Amino acid sequence: GEDVEQSLFLSVREGDSSVINCTYTDSSSTYLYWYKQEPGAGLQLLTYIFSNMDMKQDQRLTVLLNKKDKHLSLRIADTQTGDSAIYFCAERMNTGFQKLVFGTGTRLLVSP
Amino acid sequence: DADVTQTPRNRITKTGKRIMLECSQTKGHDRMYWYRQDPGLGLRLIYYSFDVKDINKGEISDGYSVSRQAQAKFSLSLESAIPNQTALYFCATSDPGIQNIQYFGAGTRLSVL
């Protein structure tokens, strides 16, 4: 199947770290992405990782990739209230036209 | 101005009506997509187009049709709307690079009564 799985909700306190997890399906996926959706807006690319990498860091964001377990995570350090949003992981399939398959999205709520 | 613009942003319609959602982009991308978003289901691909003459069905195309009027314009039509087409609809474009990053419009919230 092509299900990309994420937990639906995550609640953290401001200043804590957030970790959002994703399990994908295609072990030959070349790129994996994290998108952020703020209320009333479209999806915005946060970061992506190439499949030959284990980790990518970009300011407060750290992406970890475990290809053996087909597990992707996004860590947000020093989470702020402005980080409250829905976060989608997506994998780029390595077949056909290399479409993106999106997860169900994780709603992150950051409380003061 | 937004790079990917969707109109209208909100629409309420009745069962059986024909509806058109429009998308225009200024990013110069050849590839354009229509998705729908439902709570707990993520985004599902309705149609995609790689250029003006290349249009393809996605995983949930039944009940929908599209038109690629120009490189910059890609519209989605519901010929006879039904309540289970109530959803948030997104248009996206993607860059020609190998990363295939997709850029999204702000979405159209459609309610079919």
Side-chain angles (χ1 to χ4, degrees), chain A residues 24-32 51 67 91-94:
Chain A
Y24 61 97
T25 59
D26 185 358
S27 59
S28 64
S29 290
T30 53
Y31 285 90
L32 296 124
S51 58
K67 287 190 68 176
E91 63 172 328
R92 179 181 169 188
M93 306 301 284
N94 203 28

Side-chain angles (χ1 to χ4, degrees), chain B residues 59-89:
Chain B
E59 57 190 295
I60 54 163
S61 59
D62 287 349
Y64 301 95
S65 62
V66 291
S67 174
R68 186 80 183 267
Q69 302 93 327
Q71 186 210 35
K73 295 183 182 296
F74 192 36
S75 60
L76 176 71
S77 293
L78 288 67
E79 297 301 326
S80 179
I82 56 176
N84 77 0
Q85 291 177 313
T86 293
L88 187 54
Y89 290 85

Side-chain angles (χ1 to χ4, degrees), chain A:
Chain A
E2 296 183 345
D3 290 338
V4 177
E5 297 185 351
Q6 300 178 239
S7 54
L8 290 181
F9 297 102
L10 177 64
S11 180
V12 301
R13 289 196 174 274
E14 192 173 24
D16 289 349
S17 292
S18 306
V19 179
I20 302 171
N21 295 301
C22 171
T23 302
Y24 61 97
T25 59
D26 185 358
S27 59
S28 64
S29 290
T30 53
Y31 285 90
L32 296 124
Y33 310 82
W34 283 104
Y35 280 85
K36 177 183 181 182
Q37 183 184 25
E38 297 185 3
L43 279 70
Q44 180 181 11
L45 180 72
L46 274 181
T47 187
Y48 64 91
I49 188 168
F50 187 51
S51 58
N52 69 350
M53 298 170 65
D54 297 325
M55 185 182 81
K56 180 178 181 181
Q57 189 152 2
D58 183 2
Q59 299 182 332
R60 293 190 297 121
L61 304 179
T62 303
V63 178
L64 296 178
L65 176 60
N66 180 331
K67 287 190 68 176
K68 174 178 173 291
D69 294 336
K70 290 183 281 187
H71 184 265
L72 183 73
S73 67
L74 174 69
R75 179 178 181 269
I76 305 173
D78 187 24
T79 313
Q80 302 297 306
T81 54
D83 294 323
S84 293
I86 302 176
Y87 292 81
F88 291 91
C89 68
E91 63 172 328
R92 179 181 169 188
M93 306 301 284
N94 203 28
T95 57
F97 72 96
Q98 298 180 332
K99 69 177 181 180
L100 296 191
V101 177
F102 288 84
T104 53
T106 298
R107 184 178 294 274
L108 174 65
L109 178 62
V110 183
S111 55

Side-chain angles (χ1 to χ4, degrees), chain B residues 83-104:
Chain B
N84 77 0
Q85 291 177 313
T86 293
L88 187 54
Y89 290 85
F90 287 106
C91 174
T93 73
S94 66
D95 69 16
I98 59 173
Q99 296 91 347
N100 194 32
I101 294 169
Q102 294 194 9
Y103 299 87
F104 286 80

